[in-house]
Amino acid sequence: MKKSSIAVVAAATAMFFGASAGGAWAADTHYLGTDSVDGRDIRYEDGTKWDDARTWAEARWEELPEDVELLKDTALTNADLQMSDYNEVTNTAAYWQPRVGADTLKFNDYWYNGYSTADRRNTTVHEFGHAFGISDHYEDQYNNTVMDSCPSEACGAAYDRPQTHDKADFTHLWK
Amino acid sequence: MSKRILVSTLIAAAVLGAGGAYAITANDRGQSAAGAEPIHMSYAFDPTDKAKMIDFAEEAFMGRVVGKVKTIEDDASTLWTVEVIDTVKGAKTGKVQVKQQAYVDSDGLLHESEDQPILQTGKEYLLLTTKLNDGNLLLLGGSTAAVSADTATKKNALKKEYQDAEKLDSGLKKPARSN
C-alpha cells in the first residue's frame, strides 16, 4: 500500500509491531497485500491510447461507495501507477505489476486492437481490480466475478463492472 | 521535560521511525511470504488448454537453459540462452535466445507470474514460444508454456502429449501480426 501522509507512518509503525491491516490481508487469498493506492487515491500516468476502456474502468470502480479515486498524475503529485501499451505476439492481453515507485499496468495492442469494446472494458476493469489490491479468483464459485482468473473465452460470462463479491472484497479493503 | 524523559522519547521515536520506514519499504514492494513479487497477467485465452497453447505457439521445443543473457527491468523480463534439445513444433535447433516475463531486480527481488516460475539455468523444459521481431523468441505465459522436463521419459511423454494436442482443432482465433 502506498502512503504518503502521517497516516502512513502510523500504519507502518503498527505493521512494525505486527498489528497492521496489511498483515491481515496477506492471510486472505483474495487480497494481494499490495496495491497502487496512495492514501485514498491512485495517481496515474496516462500512457495508454485505450481511453474508452480506461475511463470505463475508472468509473466502475469509483462509483463504489468507498470513495477511493483514480486521478491523473500532475506536476505536484507522485505517480502511483504508470499505464502504457505494448505490442507482443503472446497470450497475455494485459498485466499489472507492483514495483518500487510507480506500479505498472500495460495493455497489449496485439489483443486490444482486435478486441470488442466490451472485451477491452472487461479486461481493463479486471486489471484495475489488481491495482486496488484484489487478487485473481481461481475457485469455480467465483466465476461470476470480474476478478475471476478464467478468461471469458474459456469460462463464458465476462463482466464489465464489479459484481457482488468484487464489491465485498473492495469494501473489505477500503471501507 | 527532564533530560531522561527527553532521551527516552527520542530513542522511542527513532525506533518507531525505523520500524515505519522498514514497513513502508517492505509493503511498497508487495513482497509475498516467499519473497517473490507476482506479475498479474490477464490471458486472452485459457493458458491451461494445451491445444490452444500449442496452436498459438510458433516454436515449441525441449530446451536446456544455458544461462541468462540480461535482465530487462523496464520490460519486466529476462533474456535467456537456451539450447534446443528436441523440436516439437517449428524448426529451431542449436542455441536460441528466449525472453521470459520474469526477472530478478537490482535489489535481488524476484518478479514472476503466479503460474510460471522464472527459468533456472541448467534445467530442461518444454517451452512454447512465439517469434520476436529481433529474431529472439518470446516465452508464452502460463504453466503449460514452460514445463520442467528433467528425464528422458518425461520429455518423450510431454512431446507426445503436445503433438497430440496440436492435432486437435483448438478453435483459437489468432489476431494477425501487425508488424
Side-chain angles (χ1 to χ4, degrees), chain B residues 1-28:
Chain B
M1 184 184 294
S2 72
K3 190 174 181 181
R4 181 175 293 176
I5 293 174
L6 178 61
V7 170
S8 300
T9 303
L10 288 172
I11 291 172
V15 169
L16 288 172
Y22 168 81
I24 289 171
T25 303
N27 201 19
D28 256 354

Side-chain angles (χ1 to χ4, degrees), chain B residues 3-118:
Chain B
K3 190 174 181 181
R4 181 175 293 176
I5 293 174
L6 178 61
V7 170
S8 300
T9 303
L10 288 172
I11 291 172
V15 169
L16 288 172
Y22 168 81
I24 289 171
T25 303
N27 201 19
D28 256 354
R29 291 177 180 184
Q31 287 174 277
S32 69
E37 190 157 39
I39 302 170
H40 298 272
M41 316 276 200
S42 275
Y43 294 113
F45 56 89
D46 183 0
T48 66
D49 185 328
K50 295 186 179 73
K52 284 187 168 63
M53 290 292 283
I54 191 77
D55 184 7
F56 189 79
E58 294 167 328
E59 303 281 351
F61 52 89
M62 300 291 169
R64 180 182 301 110
V65 179
V66 176
K68 183 172 82 174
V69 178
K70 62 180 176 180
T71 298
I72 314 165
E73 284 205 30
D74 288 347
D75 215 8
S77 60
T78 302
L79 188 65
W80 302 95
T81 297
V82 178
E83 182 179 10
V84 176
I85 302 169
D86 191 11
T87 302
V88 178
K89 177 181 179 181
K92 287 292 180 189
T93 57
K95 287 183 180 171
V96 295
Q97 294 196 334
V98 177
K99 190 171 91 164
Q100 180 190 23
Q101 193 160 32
Y103 68 103
V104 178
D105 68 23
S106 54
D107 293 328
L109 183 63
L110 171 63
H111 303 254
E112 62 186 5
S113 71
E114 296 156 301
D115 54 359
Q116 187 185 94
I118 194 166

Side-chain angles (χ1 to χ4, degrees), chain A residues 16-52:
Chain A
F16 184 73
F17 291 106
S20 78
W25 298 343
D28 192 319
T29 56
H30 285 185
Y31 309 109
L32 298 172
T34 186
D35 53 68
S36 301
V37 180
D38 183 353
R40 298 294 291 181
D41 58 49
I42 297 174
R43 288 279 177 178
Y44 65 86
E45 289 180 10
D46 179 15
T48 178
K49 63 178 165 295
W50 302 111
D51 292 332
D52 171 82

Side-chain angles (χ1 to χ4, degrees), chain A:
Chain A
M1 177 174 290
K2 297 179 184 308
K3 307 280 187 183
S4 61
S5 64
I6 293 172
V8 177
V9 176
T13 304
M15 283 182 69
F16 184 73
F17 291 106
S20 78
W25 298 343
D28 192 319
T29 56
H30 285 185
Y31 309 109
L32 298 172
T34 186
D35 53 68
S36 301
V37 180
D38 183 353
R40 298 294 291 181
D41 58 49
I42 297 174
R43 288 279 177 178
Y44 65 86
E45 289 180 10
D46 179 15
T48 178
K49 63 178 165 295
W50 302 111
D51 292 332
D52 171 82
R54 176 183 55 76
T55 55
W56 174 271
E58 274 184 50
R60 299 293 79 74
W61 286 106
E62 283 185 342
E63 67 191 11
L64 299 184
E66 281 71 24
D67 193 27
V68 184
E69 292 186 288
L70 284 136
L71 301 165
K72 286 194 177 181
D73 186 35
T74 70
L76 300 176
T77 58
N78 292 318
D80 307 307
L81 181 67
Q82 291 179 321
M83 292 188 215
S84 60
D85 306 326
Y86 69 114
N87 192 333
E88 283 187 340
V89 180
T90 186
N91 57 339
T92 305
Y95 70 90
W96 176 81
Q97 182 196 7
R99 303 180 77 132
V100 175
D103 299 335
T104 296
L105 176 50
K106 289 193 174 187
F107 307 102
N108 190 352
D109 289 346
Y110 174 71
W111 287 101
Y112 264 54
N113 279 332
Y115 271 180
S116 64
T117 297
D119 289 337
R120 285 193 289 267
R121 288 177 175 180
N122 301 342
T123 305
T124 306
V125 169
H126 176 98
E127 290 304 313
F128 276 26
H130 290 319
F132 282 115
I134 306 172
S135 65
D136 285 311
H137 292 10
Y138 293 99
E139 306 92 333
D140 288 346
Q141 70 193 92
Y142 297 116
N143 282 352
N144 60 344
T145 67
V146 79
M147 296 311 294
D148 179 25
S149 66
C150 187
S152 58
E153 167 273 338
C155 293
Y159 298 94
D160 66 0
R161 66 195 70 209
Q163 302 297 298
T164 302
H165 183 79
D166 303 305
K167 292 176 184 175
D169 282 345
F170 191 85
T171 298
H172 177 83
L173 286 172
W174 302 112
K175 64 188 172 189

